[in-house]
Amino acid sequence: MEGKGTIVRNIEDEMKDSYLRYSMSVIISRALPDARDGLKPSQRRILYAMRQLNLSPGSKHRKCAKISGDTSGDFHPHGEQVIYPTLVRLAQDWVMRYPLIQGQGNFGSIDGDPPAAMRYTEARLTPASTQLMEDLDKQTVDFTPNYDETKREPVVLPAKFPNLLCNGSSGIAVGMATSIPPHNLSEVLDATVVYLDNPDVTIEDLMQHVRGPDFPTGGVICGFRGIKEAYHTGRGKVIVRAKIRVEEDGNRECLIVDEIPYNVNKSRLIEQIADLITKKVIAGIADLRDDSDKDGLRLVIDLKRGEMPEVIINQLYKHSDLQVTFGCNLLALDKGSPKLLNLKRMIGIWVDHRIQVIRRRTRFELEKAQARVHVLEGYLRALDCLDEVVKLIRESANRDIAREELVSRFSFSERQANAILDLRLYQLTGLEAEKIQAEYDKLKEKIEEYRAILSDQGLVRQIIKDELLAIQKMHRAPRKTEIVAMSGEMDMEDLIANEPAIITLSEDNYIKRMPMDTFRLQKRGGQGVSGLNLKREGDMVKDLYIANTHDYLLIFTNFGRIYWLKVWQIPESSRKSKGRPLVNLLEDVRPQETVTVVLKTSDFSDKASVFMVTKRGRVKKTALSEFSNPRRKGIWAIDLVDGDEMVDAKIVSEKEEIMLFTRYGMAVRFDGSSVRLMGRMARGVRGVNLRQDDDVVVGCEVVTGDESILIASESGYGKRSLVSDFRKTNRGGVGVRSIVVNERNGRVVAAIRVDDEEGLLFMSVQGQAVQIKASDIRVMGRSTQGVRLINLKNGDALVAVQKVDLDDADASDD
């Protein structure tokens, strides 16, 4: 039965309307930030309450219990226990890129430790928060009554800088959520200045200044695609990784984590990695410890002996929170409604807000100046008839009569009359009169300036620009978060200088790249410097190569397979570093497969060919274009018979001659045209006839007949001989003697074509290296024993020789 005054309504409609009102209340009053000042109501009220308590950056800290109590009692009636966590978050420098509150005491940690109770902690405002509230008392923003209408609070703060982009925001409302990453202040201000100069600027142009999020915990953002999507559409996914570096600890290596992704709990991360070790998901870790202290974060991950750091790093990224995805959802309140914003719109909303703040501030200062000018005009008029004014005041019975007489007799306004009556006697002196006139003239100029600002929006924009540049000058700070491109997003080669480098290979297939100035230029017979820190005792340097960082490397193995690699893809290492396992740079390298030769080329011309030589003296020529697109897993370059291996390869043209050199000092010279072009899977033809069973081919050179050849032996001796001294024979012949092989010299290890203008780099088994000029080695006859090239230590042996450009040699001391 319906009672008196009862409203009959469908329950479905009532629930729908009530829920909508509730959800909008949560969205507007709690969860989402305002796009103008980047703050939620609770955050804004805390900062305003602290301002009311005069907690400026230079004042004493006050108890957080007092701050929370005043905020709850005056503006935010949801209890101190709700306000305090928000206050703490505003003070945590691993959460806020630019903290708005400076805390004193225990405010928690990146490990997830809770803060101390509010009665133990203290706080005050930071310079950033004071800039958000600057000019708040100049009627720059609207105020509204608080919840019980006993006080008034600002609807929004003036916000002298784009706080929403700089500090970001996160919150979950009803049916929607926001997740705005923090950014670098200098980058945001640069983009805002560009927008002020040209409101029609594109998002792409703004992204030239705002490179991407800049998290307070640093880390590395992988890829630009997610950033671009977020800035254009308001939504995007950004991959954030920890920053990990490799350190050597004795015979082992360890991983050092200096920076972790944003919002990752360090303590839980350590537990997660420990669990992966226990479950043997990652098997190469020997120990894990947290060496973090007041100087910063430092997680140490000790690897087991012989483990490859790159493999473990990739496993950690895959299975732990050392790599996370940050979902950008740029949702904020625009004119009271939740809207998904792009980068340009976020900056535009702040600029529009700031324009209104400047105009309202200017209008306030104009009215204040006009009121003061009105009073000063009264003073000046009173000084002109000072005797009459003084006489009138003396004859008046009281203040009210005197005021009325001043108004009626001299036509002063009531405000002017009151100001005149408030004058002190010393202000009637001549000097004070001059001050009044100077103040009056200055205020008249100010009034004209204020009126000009109010009539010209270009001046308003210039004021905003000048304020931003002043902030940027005071608070410029470098990025904390590095941004790197993902594979396929951009050509990394554009970011890398094309410069010569030394590439070394050890017998255990450890490879490294070093700058050309690593080794100084010396005289013939020098001892050199240490060139390689070998991975293990007994490991030996196998070869070295000189190439530019933009060159392609064709990596041939003893199995007759070829792999493709760019020089810059090889990690650069120091002289004493052992380098990185080649298996980490290539895929599907088979057991017992080792690198025999690396060719460099800048393109894959059809006119050039690759001339390949095997240990047993077989040769083969294949068009270079056949190798223009090999996979990282490798492709076949030559078909080998059992027991044979590939030992050398050269890039040749049609008219060049070929010379093959053997271990026992024999050399054969023939026309390259005598070997026809063959397919990749061909086996080749005989190139040299080896007379001894244990003789093998040690090298191959392309010659024209006018140059000289350097033959080097394992004992560090060698010689230069003219190519013309070696008679030309047919392919497949025994050849002629190139150097005397005896007990002093040892067997031949390398033969290389050289000119006087070139430099030579020698590397020994134990890693000693020396660089000399080719002109320091005189040309000798074909059958001589040679001279000392490098002074080797006992038990050491020469293993590799390579030409270097003397223009790149560094003649300074090591």
Side-chain angles (χ1 to χ4, degrees), residues 444-482:
K444 291 293 286 185
E445 293 177 4
K446 283 286 186 183
I447 288 172
E448 291 303 318
E449 182 182 333
Y450 295 147
R451 285 174 175 167
I453 292 172
L454 291 173
S455 61
D456 186 356
Q457 187 159 311
L459 289 177
V460 177
R461 287 179 171 268
Q462 186 60 44
I463 290 172
I464 299 173
K465 182 178 176 179
D466 292 342
E467 290 178 347
L468 292 180
L469 293 176
I471 292 174
Q472 188 180 53
K473 186 176 181 180
M474 292 173 56
H475 303 288
R476 182 179 292 275
R479 287 186 62 88
K480 291 187 175 182
T481 302
E482 182 182 351

Side-chain angles (χ1 to χ4, degrees), residues 660-694:
L660 303 182
F661 301 89
T662 73
R663 177 190 294 172
Y664 285 110
M666 301 302 293
V668 60
R669 174 186 170 197
F670 57 89
D671 288 327
S673 57
S674 64
V675 181
R676 63 179 177 83
L677 286 176
M678 308 176 194
R680 284 195 301 109
M681 293 305 297
R683 186 168 290 181
V685 295
R686 183 183 296 277
V688 60
N689 184 12
L690 302 174
R691 290 187 299 179
Q692 295 176 253
D693 291 340
D694 60 341

Side-chain angles (χ1 to χ4, degrees), residues 474-532:
M474 292 173 56
H475 303 288
R476 182 179 292 275
R479 287 186 62 88
K480 291 187 175 182
T481 302
E482 182 182 351
I483 304 176
V484 298
M486 293 287 279
S487 176
E489 284 196 340
M490 65 177 294
D491 190 358
M492 288 295 292
E493 214 168 87
D494 295 337
L495 307 176
I496 298 170
N498 190 18
E499 55 192 11
I502 300 172
I503 301 162
T504 62
L505 275 172
S506 75
E507 288 289 353
D508 281 356
N509 276 348
Y510 267 64
I511 189 169
K512 71 173 178 177
R513 171 168 59 95
M514 296 176 288
M516 276 299 302
D517 59 6
T518 301
F519 304 105
R520 69 180 187 267
L521 190 64
Q522 296 182 356
K523 296 292 184 180
R524 177 175 63 85
Q527 288 194 354
V529 295
S530 177
L532 190 67

Side-chain angles (χ1 to χ4, degrees), residues 425-452:
L425 289 175
Y426 79 89
Q427 292 177 286
L428 301 178
T429 62
L431 185 60
E432 291 298 322
E434 290 178 5
K435 289 183 178 179
I436 291 172
Q437 183 65 49
E439 184 183 357
Y440 175 79
D441 294 339
K442 186 176 181 180
L443 283 175
K444 291 293 286 185
E445 293 177 4
K446 283 286 186 183
I447 288 172
E448 291 303 318
E449 182 182 333
Y450 295 147
R451 285 174 175 167

Side-chain angles (χ1 to χ4, degrees), residues 94-307:
W94 62 91
V95 174
M96 304 291 290
R97 183 63 178 85
Y98 303 96
L100 300 179
I101 292 176
Q102 182 186 26
Q104 184 169 272
N106 177 13
F107 275 75
S109 72
I110 197 171
D111 287 319
D113 299 322
M118 68 180 78
R119 62 183 178 273
Y120 299 120
T121 57
E122 298 176 343
R124 65 183 178 189
L125 296 171
T126 64
S129 55
T130 57
Q131 288 172 343
L132 288 179
M133 293 184 284
E134 190 172 304
D135 299 326
L136 194 57
D137 54 355
K138 294 183 179 180
Q139 300 178 5
T140 51
V141 295
D142 293 332
F143 277 71
T144 185
N146 66 344
Y147 66 96
D148 60 359
E149 299 187 356
T150 59
K151 294 182 181 293
R152 295 177 65 80
E153 62 177 305
V155 174
V156 67
L157 298 184
K160 203 172 180 180
F161 66 94
N163 180 57
L164 183 60
L165 273 172
C166 293
N167 269 321
S169 186
S170 63
I172 301 174
V174 179
M176 60 184 68
T178 184
S179 181
I180 303 173
H183 293 77
N184 184 269
L185 176 65
S186 293
E187 293 182 4
V188 172
L189 297 189
D190 283 339
T192 307
V193 168
V194 170
Y195 180 89
L196 285 166
D197 291 336
N198 178 22
D200 295 325
V201 66
T202 64
I203 295 177
E204 291 291 343
D205 291 335
L206 293 175
M207 288 182 64
Q208 296 297 316
H209 302 278
V210 182
R211 297 172 52 205
D214 187 23
F215 299 109
T217 54
V220 179
I221 294 176
C222 299
F224 296 91
R225 187 175 294 112
I227 298 173
K228 188 173 183 179
E229 288 176 358
Y231 288 166
H232 280 79
T233 68
R235 285 196 176 96
K237 293 182 178 180
V238 177
I239 298 174
V240 187
R241 284 179 172 177
K243 190 169 288 187
I244 306 176
R245 55 190 173 86
V246 181
E247 285 188 359
E248 295 184 6
D249 184 11
N251 294 328
R252 297 185 178 183
E253 292 179 308
C254 59
L255 307 180
I256 307 299
V257 182
D258 296 313
E259 300 172 6
I260 62 176
Y262 186 56
N263 285 337
V264 169
N265 185 306
K266 176 165 67 75
S267 180
R268 293 177 186 170
L269 174 64
I270 294 172
E271 292 176 3
Q272 187 183 50
I273 297 174
D275 189 53
L276 292 172
I277 298 171
T278 302
K279 294 180 178 179
K280 300 188 182 304
V281 175
I282 302 177
I285 297 177
D287 189 22
L288 169 67
R289 62 184 183 276
D290 183 5
D291 288 349
S292 304
D293 54 22
K294 63 180 181 179
D295 295 326
L297 184 145
R298 179 182 169 91
L299 298 182
V300 182
I301 303 172
D302 291 327
L303 305 185
K304 294 179 180 178
R305 187 170 298 173
E307 289 294 332

